[in-house]
Amino acid sequence: MPSTQDLCEKFYGTRDIYEIFEVTKNAQESEIKKAYYKLSLKVHPDRVKQDEKTEATEKFKVLSKIYSILSDREKRALYDEQGIIEDEDDSSGTKWMAMWQKFFKPISTDDIDDFEKVYVGSDLERNDIKEAYLKGKGCIDYMSQCVPYMGVKDEPRIAEIVQSMIASGEVPEYAAFNDEPQEKRARRHKKEAKEAKEAEALKKTLGKKKAAKQVSLEQQIAERRTEREQGFNSLLDRLAAKYGQEDEDD
């Protein structure tokens, strides 16, 4: 049976568990918890396609094992000193989902909607718009992938924000932004309309299965499976900051 470190290398390309979590060896517990939260969301078995569930489950188990090590003082010290991961006590491997659910609070549709209300029009959104504009050299398709909640309805508002940045010399003027071909814009709008229909259909399906207002995080992820990947990952950073600190808030 492959060791945890063998599985780390197989699924994440490294045997260094700090590298997998993208934290330093001096990382605090809160940083480790946020990293685990964010990474585990990306490979959560309920978020991937049916034919990817088996591998996603194994990746999820590896992350849970890593978290169990980095959140335990003795296990972490042993790893830091000798690079050893003990696999004999594999309770995290058999109870990985229960452990994950214990550490992280469910997120409701209200939570996500409330975050949108705070985010849209904020300095945080403005910074994200600027960063996406510069990295994509004005490509609106790229911006819509990177800026959380950005959709067709937001394009006129975001165009005004970018134009003000251009006017002030804060960012350069890109032809890709100001002279976007009509065909390209039409394709993006058509794609978003299709995704919206798929998301609504999925939401109705899930709605039949739930009676309570609160729904599990897994369902939230499923509802948003058709959303743009980069924008969703950016949103994970924000949600991780808020919901990945249960121990600190309790």
Side-chain angles (χ1 to χ4, degrees):
M1 183 176 180
S3 68
T4 296
Q5 286 175 303
D6 289 338
L7 294 174
C8 285
E9 187 167 15
K10 175 182 178 180
F11 293 124
Y12 296 99
T14 178
R15 301 173 77 86
D16 186 336
I17 61 178
Y18 288 105
E19 184 178 343
I20 294 173
F21 267 37
E22 299 179 347
V23 298
T24 67
K25 287 189 176 182
N26 297 322
Q28 300 297 312
E29 183 178 352
S30 60
E31 295 177 79
I32 292 169
K33 190 172 184 179
K34 287 179 187 178
Y36 173 50
Y37 181 88
K38 181 181 175 182
L39 289 170
S40 59
L41 280 178
K42 291 182 178 180
V43 299
H44 196 291
D46 288 340
R47 192 185 168 217
V48 302
K49 297 177 182 178
Q50 188 63 40
D51 60 352
E52 298 173 352
K53 284 186 180 293
T54 299
E55 181 173 316
T57 298
E58 294 307 311
K59 288 181 177 180
F60 199 102
K61 289 180 181 179
V62 170
L63 293 177
S64 296
K65 178 67 176 182
I66 293 174
Y67 181 77
S68 72
I69 295 166
L70 295 182
S71 59
D72 183 285
R73 183 176 301 178
E74 293 184 2
K75 292 179 181 178
R76 184 173 178 178
L78 178 63
Y79 177 79
D80 288 346
E81 292 171 7
Q82 303 180 37
I84 294 176
I85 293 178
E86 294 183 343
D87 289 320
E88 288 77 9
D89 179 18
D90 198 22
S91 58
S92 62
T94 56
K95 301 178 181 179
W96 47 275
M97 184 62 79
M99 182 177 75
W100 191 81
Q101 292 174 335
K102 175 183 177 182
F103 289 135
F104 301 113
K105 300 173 182 178
I107 297 175
S108 70
T109 51
D110 287 343
D111 291 324
I112 295 177
D113 290 342
D114 288 344
F115 184 81
E116 180 178 7
K117 293 174 184 176
V118 174
Y119 175 80
V120 173
S122 67
D123 289 340
L124 181 60
E125 184 198 39
R126 189 181 188 280
N127 289 336
D128 285 344
I129 292 170
K130 178 180 178 180
E131 181 179 357
Y133 176 80
L134 291 173
K135 286 185 176 180
K137 296 188 181 301
C139 176
I140 301 176
D141 282 351
Y142 180 85
M143 293 177 67
S144 68
Q145 291 177 337
C146 297
V147 180
Y149 303 108
M150 179 177 172
V152 171
K153 64 180 177 58
D154 302 291
E155 290 179 11
R157 177 179 65 84
I158 289 176
E160 289 185 6
I161 294 173
V162 172
Q163 291 298 345
S164 69
M165 292 180 185
I166 294 173
S168 66
E170 190 174 348
V171 298
E173 183 174 359
Y174 291 119
F177 187 83
N178 287 327
D179 301 317
E180 183 184 42
Q182 186 174 352
E183 296 79 6
K184 184 178 179 181
R185 184 183 303 110
R187 284 197 300 271
R188 182 174 62 256
H189 290 197
K190 183 177 180 180
K191 180 182 178 182
E192 180 174 319
K194 180 181 178 182
E195 290 177 346
K197 288 182 180 180
E198 291 174 350
E200 185 62 28
L202 185 56
K203 187 175 181 179
K204 288 181 180 179
T205 300
L206 291 172
K208 295 177 181 178
K209 298 178 181 179
K210 63 193 179 188
K213 187 175 182 180
Q214 293 287 110
V215 296
S216 70
L217 179 56
E218 296 92 311
Q219 288 173 321
Q220 290 296 317
I221 294 170
E223 287 183 22
R224 283 155 178 77
R225 190 170 293 158
T226 58
E227 286 189 300
R228 297 174 293 275
E229 186 66 20
Q230 286 180 291
F232 182 75
N233 287 338
S234 180
L235 177 59
L236 289 185
D237 288 325
R238 276 68 169 178
L239 293 178
K242 181 176 181 181
Y243 297 101
Q245 303 183 63
E246 180 178 352
D247 291 339
E248 296 177 10
D249 296 338
D250 289 346

